[in-house]
RNA sequence: UGCCUCAUGGUGUAACGGUAGCACAGCAGAUUCUGAAUCUGCUUGUCUAGGUUCAAAUCCUAGUGAGGCAACCA
C-alpha cells in the first residue's frame, strides 16, 4: 500500500500499460520498439511514435526499454543510407536504444524455421497461383474468397516446395507461402495472407543469402516476440492486422514471449503533408531542395530549420494519443518552438530590410559601444557590446510615412526609442529620383539614454532595433514560412486535384540582412532571436566559419495587425 | 453497399455514472527599453434521436458523420 500520489496515465495506451505493470504481466516489464523500414527519411509523424515508444521506456524505468528495430523485409526498397539517417534522427530527438539495435533481417533464419514449423503443423501452404489469381480469388469487401486449388497440399509436399523456394529453384512470383486461416473471413487480412514471397533482390544487409523474404505481417509479430517486446504500438491502419498478429503469436510454438499490439491515430498537421509518398514527390519534382529542406516536415528538415528536440517532444506530448484521426495545428508546434527558444536563444539585432538613418546631430566620426542584454529570460547569459554611430539601419517596416492607426514606430516628425540607446526624432525623409525613400534624417536626444523619458515631449510608445551602418554585416537570411498556403492541402486537392497546387510560393524568401557584428563568428547550428523579428538558426550545411547563413525558424508572435 | 474503429469549444485533449477542466488559437486589459515574453479576464463544446438511472459526455439501441480494410509494400 502506497500513499504516494497516483499520477494518472495520460492516454489509453499508458492506462493499459499501467494496468499490465500493476498486474505484473511480463514480470512488470515494459519493452517497446520503434520499427521503421529503412526506405526513407523520418518525419514529424514518426516523431510522435518515437516519443511514445522511447518515452514509455523512460517512464517505466528501470524495468523498461525501447528497441530500435529496422523492419527490413523488402530488399527492393531499403538502403543503408536510410538506416544511418534514421539513427541520427532518433538520437537528435534525444532518445537512446542503448545496445538494443536490431534488424528484422537478423531473424531471417529463425523466421524461416517458424515457417517450416507452421507448414509441418498444417498452418501454411505453398501456392502456385499467379499474382492475379491470388488477387481475384481473395474475394471483395462484400464477397468471400475462393480457396486456392493448392490449399490442401500435404505438409510433406509443402515442406519440399518451400525448401526449394529458398534454394532458388523457382522464379519470382512463381510461388508464395500462405498462412492457412479463413478464405471467408470478413477481415481480408485473414484470407490466407501471403507470408513469404520470392524476391531475387540484393538485400542491404544479407546480400544474396536469401531469395525468399517474409512479409511484414509475418515478420513483425514474430520479431516482436523474439525480442520479448511486451507492447507493440503502431498506427491505426494496422488495426485489421491485429487478428493476424495474434494468430501468429498463438500458432507458432516456442516463442519466448507473447506481445500484443495496440493502435493509435497517426499525426496530421496543418499547412504540411505527412506521408512519405508525398514528401518524396516534393523532392523528386524539385519543389523543395531535398529531404532536409527547412520547409519539409522531415526530422532532418525541421532540425535544419532550427526547431529543437525539446520543442518537438513537448509538441508530441501536448497533441496526446487517441484513436481519433485528428489534425493538429501548426500554431501549436510553433508555440512549442517559441517557448523553448525564448528561454534559450541569445538575442541579437538584425535588420532584414534596411532603411538608412542619419543622426544629424551625432558627431561625424564617433563610434561608441552600447551594452545589450543577451537574453532577458536568462540573466546568466550576460551582455555584449554593440557599436553605435552616426549612420544606422533600421527595418523599413519600422517606418511609415503615412502611418495606419495605432502605428507607434517611426513617422515623419515622430519619435521612437532605439533600444538600449536613445530616442530619435525623424526630421526629414530623403528620396531618390523616382520618389523612393532612401534615407531618414533624424536627431537624437542624449538625455533619453538608459531608458530616460523625453522631457517636454509626448511619451514614446515605440522601441525599435537598429544596427550601426559602418560595422554591420551583410548576411544571407533565408525567410522560411509554411510549406502550403492552405491548412489542408490534401483535402483542398480532393480526389482528382494535386496537392502541390497549394504549395506556398512565399515559403522561402532570401534576403541580405544587416546584422550586428557580434554574429560574425557564429558557427553553424546556433539559435538566435533577432529581437522583435523572430528566431533564426545558422544553417548547419551552408554556413561557413565567419560567413554564417541564417534560416528563419519561426517569426515572433505579432499582435500588431499589419496592413499589406 | 460488407467488416473494423472512432465522435467533447475554431484546434488538440481531460473528465472512467455525480461541478464539463487544461492547452493552442482568438478577443480584451495590466505590464514591458522586444507590439515578444509574463500576468489577468473573456468568448466558444459533449453529433442526432430514443432508452436505462435519483443522476449520462460516460451505459444501451438506432441513426448520422469520419477514418481504415480487397500489395507477392510497410
Amino acid at each position: 500500500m502506497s500513499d504516494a500520489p497516483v499520477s494518472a496515465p495520460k492516454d489509453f495506451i499508458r492506462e493499459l500499460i499501467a494496468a499490465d505493470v500493476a498486474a505484473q504481466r511480463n514480470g512488470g516489464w515494459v519493452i517497446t520498439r520503434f520499427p521503421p523500414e529503412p526506405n526513407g527519411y523520418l518525419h514529424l509523424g514518426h516523431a510522435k511514435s518515437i516519443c511514445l515508444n522511447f518515452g514509455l521506456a523512460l517512464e517505466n524505468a528501470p524495468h523498461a526499454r525501447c528497441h530500435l528495430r529496422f523492419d527490413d523485409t523488402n530488399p527492393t526498397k531499403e538502403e543503408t543510407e536510410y538506416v544511418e539517417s534514421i539513427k541520427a534522427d532518433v538520437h537528435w530527438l534525444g532518445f537512446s536504444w542503448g545496445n538494443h539495435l536490431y534488424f528484422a533481417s537478423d531473424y531471417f533464419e529463425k523466421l524461416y524455421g517458424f515457417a517450416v514449423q507452421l507448414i509441418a503443423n498444417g498452418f501454411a501452404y505453398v501456392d502456385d497461383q499467379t499474382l492475379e489469381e491470388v488477387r481475384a480469388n481473395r474475394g471483395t469487401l462484400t464477397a468471400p474468397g475462393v480457396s486456392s486449388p493448392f490449399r490442401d497440399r500435404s505438409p510433406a509436399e509443402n515442406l519440399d516446395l518451400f525448401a526449394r523456394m529458398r534454394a532458388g529453384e523457382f522464379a519470382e512470383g512463381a510461388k508464395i507461402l500462405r498462412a492457412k486461416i479463413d478464405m471467408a473471413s470478413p477481415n481480408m487480412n485473414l484470407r490466407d495472407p501471403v507470408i513469404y514471397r520470392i524476391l531475387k533482390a540484393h538485400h542491404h544487409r544479407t546480400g544474396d543469402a536469401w531469395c525468399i523474404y517474409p512479409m511484414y505481417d509475418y515478420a513483425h509479430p514474430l520479431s516482436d516476440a523474439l525480442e520479448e517486446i511486451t507492447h507493440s504500438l503502431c498506427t491505426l491502419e494496422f488495426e485489421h492486422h491485429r487478428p493476424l498478429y495474434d494468430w501468429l503469436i498463438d500458432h507458432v510454438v516456442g516463442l519466448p514471449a507473447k506481445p500484443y499490439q495496440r493502435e493509435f491515430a497517426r499525426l496530421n498537421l496543418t499547412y504540411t503533408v505527412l506521408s512519405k509518398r508525398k514528401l518524396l514527390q516534393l523532392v523528386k519534382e524539385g519543389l523543395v531542395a531535398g529531404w532536409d529542406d527547412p520547409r519539409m516536415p522531415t526530422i532532418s528538415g525541421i532540425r535544419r530549420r532550427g526547431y529543437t528536440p525539446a520543442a518537438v517532444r513537448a509538441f508530441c506530448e501536448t497533441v496526446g494519443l487517441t484513436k481519433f484521426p485528428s489534425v493538429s495545428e501548426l500554431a501549436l508546434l510553433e508555440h512549442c518552438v517559441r517557448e523553448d527558444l525564448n528561454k534559450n536563444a541569445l538575442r541579437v539585432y538584425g535588420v532584414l530590410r534596411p532603411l538608412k538613418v542619419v543622426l544629424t546631430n551625432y558627431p561625424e566620426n564617433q563610434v561608441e559601444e552600447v551594452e545589450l542584454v543577451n537574453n532577458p529570460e536568462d540573466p546568466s547569459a550576460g551582455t555584449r557590446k554593440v557599436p553605435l554611430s552616426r549612420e544606422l539601419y533600421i527595418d523599413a517596416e519600422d517606418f511609415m510615412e503615412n502611418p495606419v492607426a495605432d502605428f507607434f514606430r517611426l513617422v515623419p516628425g515622430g519619435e521612437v526609442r532605439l533600444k538600449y540607446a536613445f530616442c530619435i526624432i525623424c526630421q526629414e525623409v530623403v528620396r531618390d529620383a523616382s520618389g523612393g525613400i532612401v534615407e531618414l534624417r533624424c536627431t537624437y536626444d542624449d538625455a533619453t539614454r538608459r531608458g530616460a523619458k523625453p522631457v517636454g515631449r509626448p511619451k514614446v510608445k515605440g522601441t525599435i532595433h537598429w544596427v550601426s551602418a559602418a560595422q554591420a554585416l551583410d548576411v544571407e537570411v533565408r525567410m522560411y514560412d509554411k510549406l502550403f498556403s492552405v491548412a489542408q492541402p490534401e483535402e483542398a486537392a480532393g480526389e482528382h486535384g494535386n496537392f502541390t497546387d497549394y504549395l506556398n510560393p512565399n515559403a522561402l524568401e532570401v534576403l541580405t540582412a544587416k546584422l550586428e557584428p557580434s554574429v560574425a563568428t557564429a558557427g553553424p547550428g546556433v539559435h538566435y532571436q533577432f529581437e522583435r523579428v523572430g528566431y533564426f538558426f545558422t544553417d548547419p550545411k551552408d554556413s561557413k566559419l565567419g560567413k554564417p547563413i541564417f534560416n528563419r525558424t519561426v517569426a515572433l508572435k505579432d499582435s500588431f495587425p499589419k496592413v499589406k
Side-chain angles (χ1 to χ4, degrees):
Chain A
M1 189 168 162
S2 164
D3 51 3
V6 184
S7 66
K10 284 173 294 196
D11 52 71
F12 74 103
I13 288 192
R14 275 174 245 256
E15 223 163 74
L16 205 62
I17 290 177
D20 285 342
V21 170
Q24 285 293 298
R25 188 176 176 273
N26 304 304
W29 273 79
V30 177
I31 306 173
T32 56
R33 98 273 91 110
F34 173 62
E37 180 185 19
N39 69 342
Y41 287 79
L42 262 29
H43 54 67
L44 281 164
H46 297 104
K48 179 176 179 179
S49 175
I50 291 168
C51 289
L52 202 221
N53 283 296
F54 284 96
L56 244 14
L58 259 19
E59 291 160 30
N60 290 282
H63 301 297
R65 62 173 190 260
C66 179
H67 299 180
L68 174 61
R69 180 171 71 233
F70 287 96
D71 224 326
D72 53 351
T73 57
N74 185 353
T76 64
K77 289 186 171 181
E78 297 145 6
E79 288 171 36
T80 303
E81 174 201 343
Y82 297 127
V83 171
E84 295 312 315
S85 79
I86 289 168
K87 285 188 196 168
D89 288 349
V90 174
H91 270 148
W92 178 76
L93 275 170
F95 297 106
S96 172
W97 51 87
N99 52 2
H100 294 282
L101 172 66
Y102 303 101
F103 291 82
S105 53
D106 288 341
Y107 308 135
F108 280 173
E109 193 60 55
K110 282 181 180 167
L111 261 15
Y112 178 83
F114 290 143
V116 168
Q117 184 203 104
L118 285 173
I119 294 170
N121 291 334
F123 295 128
Y125 62 96
V126 172
D127 195 346
D128 297 358
Q129 291 183 110
T130 64
L131 196 149
E132 292 71 27
E133 288 167 334
V134 169
R135 196 169 289 170
N137 289 335
R138 187 155 22 227
T140 68
L141 293 175
T142 52
V146 174
S147 291
S148 164
F150 305 97
R151 195 171 199 261
D152 293 317
R153 286 218 254 233
S154 71
E157 186 184 357
N158 283 320
L159 249 14
D160 171 63
L161 255 17
F162 189 50
R164 288 162 62 193
M165 277 169 67
R166 176 181 184 169
E169 282 190 33
F170 309 113
E172 264 187 37
K175 284 181 167 47
I176 50 176
L177 184 70
R178 302 179 74 175
K180 197 181 208 173
I181 306 181
D182 178 6
M183 287 307 291
S185 172
N187 183 341
M188 304 291 293
N189 294 117
L190 262 22
R191 319 245 265 225
D192 289 9
V194 178
I195 58 178
Y196 266 92
R197 78 287 214 188
I198 298 170
L199 242 34
K200 306 217 165 163
H202 188 84
H203 187 280
H204 72 113
R205 296 188 82 242
T206 60
D208 300 314
W210 294 85
C211 63
I212 56 170
Y213 290 91
M215 300 287 288
Y216 164 88
D217 276 322
Y218 174 80
H220 204 88
L222 300 178
S223 299
D224 281 346
L226 288 171
E227 290 176 22
E228 302 188 43
I229 297 298
T230 58
H231 304 271
S232 186
L233 309 175
C234 60
T235 45
L236 246 26
E237 63 267 31
F238 293 103
E239 228 167 5
H240 323 265
H241 298 241
R242 188 150 116 197
L244 177 51
Y245 187 103
D246 292 339
W247 186 92
L248 280 159
I249 296 297
D250 288 343
H251 285 75
V252 172
V253 180
L255 294 175
K258 283 194 178 295
Y260 70 79
Q261 169 183 306
R262 283 297 178 276
E263 311 82 16
F264 60 91
R266 69 185 316 134
L267 178 70
N268 295 296
L269 239 202
T270 54
Y271 297 103
T272 193
V273 290
L274 289 180
S275 106
K276 252 183 206 172
R277 208 197 90 239
K278 292 193 170 89
L279 295 174
L280 176 68
Q281 187 182 341
L282 294 177
V283 172
K284 278 197 168 161
E285 294 181 11
L287 298 168
V288 294
W291 286 101
D292 65 348
D293 186 303
R295 289 167 288 191
M296 291 282 273
T298 50
I299 303 295
S300 48
I302 62 171
R303 171 168 62 221
R304 194 171 164 194
R305 179 155 172 163
Y307 283 23
T308 61
V312 176
R313 278 186 255 120
F315 171 70
C316 289
E317 196 169 316
T318 40
V319 280
L321 207 66
T322 64
K323 302 190 78 162
F324 182 75
S326 57
V327 184
S328 293
E329 287 180 343
L330 214 216
L332 179 60
L333 210 210
E334 293 186 332
H335 163 80
C336 294
V337 173
R338 289 191 190 102
E339 194 169 51
D340 185 28
L341 258 17
N342 177 47
K343 289 195 291 269
N344 301 308
L346 295 181
R347 314 291 134 119
V348 113
Y349 285 2
V351 170
L352 263 24
R353 293 176 173 82
L355 173 59
K356 183 166 267 188
V357 167
V358 179
L359 303 179
T360 54
N361 60 340
Y362 193 96
E364 198 85 44
N365 294 313
Q366 181 174 312
V367 178
E368 63 177 288
E369 283 195 317
V370 177
E371 189 169 38
L372 303 188
V373 174
N374 284 332
N375 185 351
E377 305 287 322
D378 176 15
S380 73
T383 59
R384 68 188 184 284
K385 297 268 175 55
V386 166
L388 170 61
S389 63
R390 189 172 200 264
E391 296 200 353
L392 313 168
Y393 290 110
I394 66 167
D395 240 305
E397 278 192 359
D398 288 334
F399 173 77
M400 276 188 106
E401 192 166 27
N402 302 298
V404 295
D406 293 324
F407 183 80
F408 45 82
R409 280 107 96 163
L410 197 58
V411 300
E415 184 165 7
V416 277
R417 177 176 297 282
L418 297 184
K419 195 175 180 193
Y420 282 112
F422 36 60
C423 295
I424 61 169
I425 298 172
C426 176
Q427 307 289 1
E428 188 190 346
V429 178
V430 181
R431 304 170 173 285
D432 60 19
S434 57
I437 299 171
V438 290
E439 162 181 325
L440 266 22
R441 298 184 77 80
C442 303
T443 52
Y444 84 101
D445 179 359
D446 206 65
T448 55
R449 286 178 182 270
R450 308 197 146 277
K453 293 181 171 49
V455 184
R457 300 191 299 279
K459 192 181 165 203
V460 172
K461 285 173 88 179
T463 298
I464 64 173
H465 57 100
W466 49 272
V467 293
S468 179
Q471 296 83 8
L473 267 26
D474 284 325
V475 171
E476 178 178 338
V477 174
R478 299 170 180 169
M479 302 288 285
Y480 291 107
D481 204 341
K482 27 183 80 119
L483 222 205
F484 290 89
S485 47
V486 297
Q488 298 191 57
E490 287 143 316
E491 195 175 85
E495 288 286 300
H496 311 291
N498 193 344
F499 73 101
T500 60
D501 292 346
Y502 299 92
L503 279 164
N504 176 10
N506 305 314
L508 170 60
E509 183 186 4
V510 180
L511 301 175
T512 300
K514 298 281 188 183
L515 299 197
E516 67 171 66
S518 74
V519 300
T521 54
V526 184
H527 301 277
Y528 289 97
Q529 184 197 103
F530 290 5
E531 284 213 36
R532 304 207 313 124
V533 176
Y535 293 99
F536 291 80
F537 186 62
T538 48
D539 191 284
K541 225 172 163 178
D542 298 340
S543 290
K544 305 252 173 356
L545 208 60
K547 195 170 170 44
I549 290 174
F550 287 84
N551 297 333
R552 179 169 71 182
T553 306
V554 63
L556 247 38
K557 276 186 73 172
D558 186 2
S559 56
F560 176 65
K562 279 198 188 74
V563 251
K564 289 222 166 174

